[in-house]
């Protein structure tokens, strides 16, 4: 989603700003722009194409300067058009970029129009630019503090002024913003990754902070205008991991990285002990009587899968809620629940807001399963398990999901142990199975040629149904999500027992029905559901395993999974569904890594 980079230096900062935007590209955007202070004037370049195109424009126009800001935009207010791209200017004096959503923009726009300001865009951002200009006192730092008090909603902004050439001011509320410290130069960004290679000395601004960035110093005030010192952290943001290597797309690379990602995530776990979640974990786990999982998208499906494990193995009652629903719902708070947020990025606005909502309801036992060690989610939760998937670039999450599942299974075993439900021989057996996961996934990846053959048939369809039962129902949901996200085929998932309560009406010979069918306790029931589909002419595409005893016949296509994996089977069964979505999208020629309208990190609600 939107990304910010800003700099004040004694050298040309254009390459730093452009490189920063490139590092943020994977988050998803539909336009980009850069503004610099050049010879007493504000200059800018904007593009609705890729950052590489912006880079060319900037080079052709010889835009070079010591002070500037840059942005990748994911449209919320106003179409993805050049005039809506950031930076926005006000009266040739103020340049501003913004992440987030300003909720009172209509009322501010009316006020500013009455004061004589003309608007060139439909964005809420231009309103902030004009507001800063309108309130300008001759001191940008002071003005931004005044202006942000007038804003409701979520924002991270970076702004500079024609009349103060060596200064960039940043402010945040609800959206992340960091400061990068250099030698005689300082930087701003929405994510430390943007500054990788430029500086690793990072300050995470807190809610309500406003920062004054100059070459030799930075100055931070909190929401009350009091000067504050914030801790400087050394952050080794990943850099090399975003190379594509021999793969055609990041998604393909990331699917094939799963054996390594799971091995890394489990590295160092010799036995089950609460310490792996944080120092106080034992005390907390002892106290809690239930689990409340909050997440969005693919992470939510990881949570749904974990519910089956947590209830069956640990005997702990578990609720799983979509973060954007939970935060606005009147729920019954339980101070003895363990609140678990699951997030690849650790930045998802709705999940963060849901966490804060739970905390405000006196639910203080918080834990996150997160792939970004320095994210707000990790900072704001008492306990954490960091998955080591590495940087995930493809918008459609793959390795983040399977590593989340691995971490959630560890959580399940740990809670089971603390609750006295994990005899040692079970612990040893489960750990052995977990350690075998990388090899088991490698064997599943070898099914790719068979899946490619199926994908050719799928590419000609406009609808697909996914069925699963029990613990594989969330996997069917994730398979359908993958397919719709990147191939734009309408896909829905159902617990197979629900078929006859509605979706069966959709089944004709035009409807491919993907069935996740391992030989677990539900297999006989699932076979009956498959008969219901065949009887209506529906074409079945079944992921079975050796013990499922389902054979190919007319209208029934079967791919056999190499092993039967018991409780951990969801981690294996999602992999062929990822490959099916990938190869179907490839056959349809869609933009696999950057599907239309979607963003990697959803930092607005
Ligand atoms: C976006 C991404 C999904 C992701 C979801 C939640 O929709 O495209 O891949 O599952 O956000 O993100 P999170 O970073 O919180 O896991």
């Amino acid at each position: 989603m939107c990304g910010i980079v800003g700099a004040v230096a004694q050298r040309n900062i254009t390459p730093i700003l452009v490189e920063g935007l490139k590092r943020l590209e994977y988050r998803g955007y539909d336009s980009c722009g850069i503004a610099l202070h050049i010879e007493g004037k504000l200059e800018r370049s904007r593009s609705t194409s890729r950052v590489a195109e912006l880079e060319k424009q900037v080079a052709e126009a010889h835009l070079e300067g010591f002070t500037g800001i840059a942005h990748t935009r994911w449209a919320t207010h106003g179409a993805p058009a050049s005039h809506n791209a950031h930076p926005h200017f006000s009266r040739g004096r103020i340049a501003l970029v913004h992440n987030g959503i300003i909720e009172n923009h209509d009322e501010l726009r009316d006020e500013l129009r009455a004061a004589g300001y003309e608007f060139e865009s439909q964005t809420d951002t231009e309103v902030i630019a004009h507001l800063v200009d309108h309130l300008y006192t001759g001191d940008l730092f002071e003005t931004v503090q005044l202006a942000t008090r007038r804003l409701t909603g979520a924002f991270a902004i970076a702004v500079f002024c024609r009349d103060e050439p060596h200064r960039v001011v940043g402010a945040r509320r609800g959206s992340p913003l960091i400061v990068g410290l250099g030698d005689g130069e300082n930087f701003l960004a929405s994510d430390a990754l943007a500054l990788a290679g430029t500086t690793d000395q990072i300050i995470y601004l807190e809610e309500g902070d406003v920062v004054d960035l100059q070459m030799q110093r930075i100055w931070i005030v909190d929401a009350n205008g009091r000067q504050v010192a914030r801790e400087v952290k050394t952050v080794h943001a990943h850099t090399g991991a975003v190379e594509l290597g021999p793969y055609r797309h990041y998604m393909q690379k990331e699917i094939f990285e799963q054996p390594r990602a799971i091995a890394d995530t489990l590295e160092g776990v010799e036995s089950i002990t609460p310490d792996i979640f944080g120092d106080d974990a034992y005390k907390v786990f002892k106290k809690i009587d239930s689990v409340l999982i909050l997440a969005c998208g693919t992470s939510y499906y990881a949570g749904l899968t974990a519910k089956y494990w947590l209830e069956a193995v640990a005997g702990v009652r578990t609720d799983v809620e979509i973060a954007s629903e939970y935060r606005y719902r009147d729920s019954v708070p339980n101070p003895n629940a363990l609140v678990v947020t699951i997030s690849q990025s650790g930045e998802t606005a709705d999940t963060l807001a849901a966490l804060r909502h739970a905390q405000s309801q006196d639910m203080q036992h918080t834990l996150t399963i997160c792939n970004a060690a320095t994210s707000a989610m990790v900072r704001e939760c008492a306990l954490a398990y960091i998955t080591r998937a590495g940087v995930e670039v493809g918008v459609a999450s793959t390795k983040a999901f399977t590593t989340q599942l691995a971490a959630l299974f560890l959580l399940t075993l740990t809670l089971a142990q603390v609750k006295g439900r994990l005899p040692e021989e079970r612990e040893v057996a489960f750990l052995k199975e977990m350690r075998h996961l990388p090899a088991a996934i490698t064997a599943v990846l070898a099914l790719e040629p068979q899946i490619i053959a199926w994908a050719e048939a799928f590419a000609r369809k406009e609808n697909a149904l996914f069925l699963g039962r029990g613990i594989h129902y969330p996997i069917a949901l994730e398979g359908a999500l993958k397919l719709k996200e990147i191939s734009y085929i309408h896909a829905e998932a159902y617990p197979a027992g629900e078929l006859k309560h509605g979706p069966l009406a959709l089944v004709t010979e035009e409807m491919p029905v993907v069935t996740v069918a391992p030989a677990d306790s539900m297999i006989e029931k699932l076979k009956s559901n498959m008969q219901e589909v065949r009887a209506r002419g529906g074409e079945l595409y079944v992921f079975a395993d050796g013990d499922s005893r389902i054979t190919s016949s007319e209208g029934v296509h079967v791919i056999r999974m190499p092993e039967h994996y018991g409780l951990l089977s969801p981690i294996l069964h999602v992999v062929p569904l990822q490959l099916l979505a990938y190869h179907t999208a490839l056959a349809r020629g869609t933009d696999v890594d950057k599907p239309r309208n979607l963003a990697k990190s959803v930092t607005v609600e």
Side-chain angles (χ1 to χ4, degrees):
M1 213 157 234
C2 303
I4 291 177
V5 197
V8 190
Q10 304 172 50
R11 55 175 168 148
N12 173 28
I13 55 163
T14 305
I16 295 172
L17 297 184
V18 169
E19 180 59 28
L21 291 189
K22 283 187 180 164
R23 291 189 184 284
L24 296 175
E25 264 193 307
Y26 77 96
R27 298 155 62 103
Y29 67 105
D30 39 48
S31 58
C32 48
I34 183 168
L36 294 154
H37 195 286
I38 303 176
E39 291 170 5
K41 287 205 303 218
L42 306 183
E43 301 280 355
R44 78 180 154 191
S45 181
R46 296 182 289 181
S47 167
T48 50
S49 180
R50 296 279 152 211
V51 174
E53 184 56 38
L54 179 74
E55 187 176 18
K56 264 194 237 151
Q57 281 174 211
V58 168
E60 277 160 20
H62 302 291
L63 292 186
E64 295 183 355
F66 295 171
T67 302
I69 54 180
H71 192 257
T72 47
R73 171 174 189 255
W74 187 81
T76 54
H77 296 75
S82 206
H83 67 279
N84 285 328
H86 305 201
H88 286 281
F89 284 179
S90 180
R91 294 189 167 166
R93 183 161 68 166
I94 298 294
L96 184 139
V97 292
H98 160 227
N99 289 356
I101 292 177
I102 301 304
E103 287 167 12
N104 59 338
H105 66 99
D106 279 336
E107 137 201 352
L108 288 171
R109 192 178 286 107
D110 290 348
E111 183 183 323
L112 290 160
R113 273 208 181 107
Y117 285 90
E118 284 175 16
F119 286 80
E120 290 174 2
S121 77
Q122 287 81 46
T123 64
D124 49 347
T125 305
E126 194 183 5
V127 171
I128 321 176
H130 289 322
L131 181 66
V132 171
D133 186 76
H134 185 50
L135 299 176
Y136 189 59
T137 61
D139 180 329
L140 187 65
F141 186 45
E142 180 183 87
T143 308
V144 170
Q145 292 174 60
L146 295 175
T148 48
R149 274 181 217 139
R150 298 284 319 276
L151 304 177
T152 52
F155 57 82
I157 57 171
V159 43
F160 71 99
C161 173
R162 182 196 57 204
D163 304 340
E164 300 178 66
H166 301 291
R167 191 177 218 188
V168 170
V169 174
R172 68 153 289 196
R173 193 196 302 152
S175 296
L177 193 65
I178 59 122
V179 175
L181 305 177
D183 188 8
E185 52 188 24
N186 289 305
F187 310 92
L188 269 184
S190 47
D191 184 328
L193 182 66
L195 302 180
T198 300
T199 179
D200 60 2
Q201 295 302 293
I202 302 293
I203 294 173
Y204 290 89
L205 294 177
E206 293 186 10
E207 279 295 279
D209 282 357
V210 183
V211 59
D212 182 8
L213 210 68
Q214 302 191 20
M215 285 182 295
Q216 302 292 352
R217 55 155 230 172
I218 63 141
W219 192 270
I220 303 173
V221 293
D222 67 12
N224 300 314
R226 278 191 303 253
Q227 195 209 334
V228 283
R230 300 277 182 233
E231 191 189 344
V232 180
K233 294 192 171 157
T234 302
V235 175
H236 301 292
H238 306 261
T239 49
V242 282
E243 304 301 326
L244 192 51
Y247 295 98
R248 200 155 158 193
H249 293 98
Y250 285 105
M251 183 179 177
Q252 184 189 26
K253 174 179 185 251
E254 288 155 6
I255 290 172
F256 278 85
E257 275 176 349
Q258 289 178 110
R260 197 269 312 139
I262 299 232
D264 287 356
T265 297
L266 299 177
E267 198 187 278
V269 181
E270 298 301 330
S271 60
I272 295 301
T273 147
D275 297 357
I276 56 176
F277 295 93
D279 291 344
D280 288 334
Y282 178 75
K283 262 197 286 172
V284 172
F285 291 172
K286 202 79 197 151
K287 234 184 274 171
I288 59 107
D289 62 8
S290 60
V291 169
L292 170 63
I293 296 180
L294 306 170
C296 303
T298 288
S299 299
Y300 169 70
Y301 294 148
L304 283 185
T305 312
K307 176 182 167 82
Y308 288 84
W309 288 332
L310 286 161
E311 297 206 339
V313 181
V316 179
R317 189 195 139 175
T318 302
D319 293 308
V320 192
E321 298 234 16
I322 291 173
S324 56
E325 287 295 312
Y326 172 74
R327 62 183 287 197
Y328 290 118
R329 192 165 80 72
D330 286 329
S331 50
V332 182
N334 172 9
N336 293 322
L338 177 66
V339 178
V340 178
T341 62
I342 307 173
S343 177
Q344 187 285 125
S345 62
E347 271 185 31
T348 304
D350 282 320
T351 311
L352 275 171
L355 167 70
R356 291 171 189 154
H357 177 68
Q359 285 165 331
S360 75
Q361 305 238 309
D362 207 21
M363 295 165 78
Q364 303 308 332
H365 303 311
T366 55
L367 182 152
T368 188
I369 307 281
C370 187
N371 195 38
T374 55
S375 61
M377 203 74 74
V378 176
R379 291 198 304 276
E380 293 184 28
C381 282
L383 303 170
Y385 194 87
I386 309 298
T387 51
R388 298 205 197 99
V391 175
E392 191 179 66
V393 176
V395 165
S397 182
T398 52
K399 62 178 180 171
F401 180 68
T402 42
T403 53
Q404 284 166 350
L405 290 180
L408 286 160
F409 197 72
L410 282 179
L411 177 64
T412 303
L413 296 184
T414 311
L415 286 176
Q417 186 191 63
V418 173
K419 305 286 177 202
R421 291 176 58 121
L422 189 70
E424 206 184 321
E425 61 284 5
R426 256 194 124 198
E427 174 186 338
V428 171
F430 276 135
L431 279 174
K432 196 167 156 219
E433 279 181 37
M434 291 194 83
R435 284 198 202 99
H436 180 58
L437 275 171
I441 294 180
T442 305
V444 175
L445 290 167
L447 300 174
E448 192 181 29
Q450 296 176 57
I451 296 166
I452 292 174
W454 282 12
E456 277 156 23
F458 271 71
R460 294 190 291 273
K461 303 287 182 188
E462 289 309 323
N463 298 289
L465 260 181
F466 284 68
L467 301 180
R469 287 201 78 139
I471 200 162
H472 294 93
Y473 165 51
I475 296 307
L477 284 166
E478 173 60 6
L481 177 66
K482 289 289 85 96
L483 191 69
K484 72 185 118 183
E485 277 180 311
I486 59 167
S487 75
Y488 314 147
I489 291 173
H490 170 227
E492 284 190 65
Y494 269 88
E498 270 294 289
L499 199 59
K500 52 193 164 303
H501 297 295
L504 203 53
L506 299 171
V507 173
T508 65
E509 54 282 4
E510 280 309 302
M511 178 69 87
V513 181
V514 179
T515 312
V516 184
D520 59 15
S521 59
M522 304 298 284
I523 188 68
E524 292 309 322
K525 305 263 175 230
L526 190 66
K527 282 185 190 163
S528 313
N529 302 138
M530 287 161 56
Q531 291 302 328
E532 293 160 11
V533 171
R534 261 325 281 150
R536 273 96 194 156
E539 194 116 343
L540 285 159
Y541 292 84
V542 187
F543 289 101
D545 54 25
D547 312 337
S548 308
R549 282 201 241 113
I550 300 169
T551 46
S552 298
S553 56
E554 208 200 323
V556 183
H557 313 269
V558 180
I559 289 181
R560 234 165 255 294
M561 299 285 284
E563 290 178 62
H564 179 63
Y565 226 71
L567 272 180
L568 287 166
S569 158
I571 302 181
L572 298 190
H573 266 275
V574 75
V575 174
L577 302 185
Q578 297 167 343
L579 284 169
L580 181 63
Y582 173 71
H583 285 289
T584 305
L586 203 62
R588 284 167 76 102
T590 55
D591 190 348
V592 172
D593 286 330
K594 298 190 181 77
R596 69 183 178 209
N597 307 339
L598 300 181
K600 181 75 188 155
S601 285
V602 182
T603 48
V604 295
E605 75 167 276

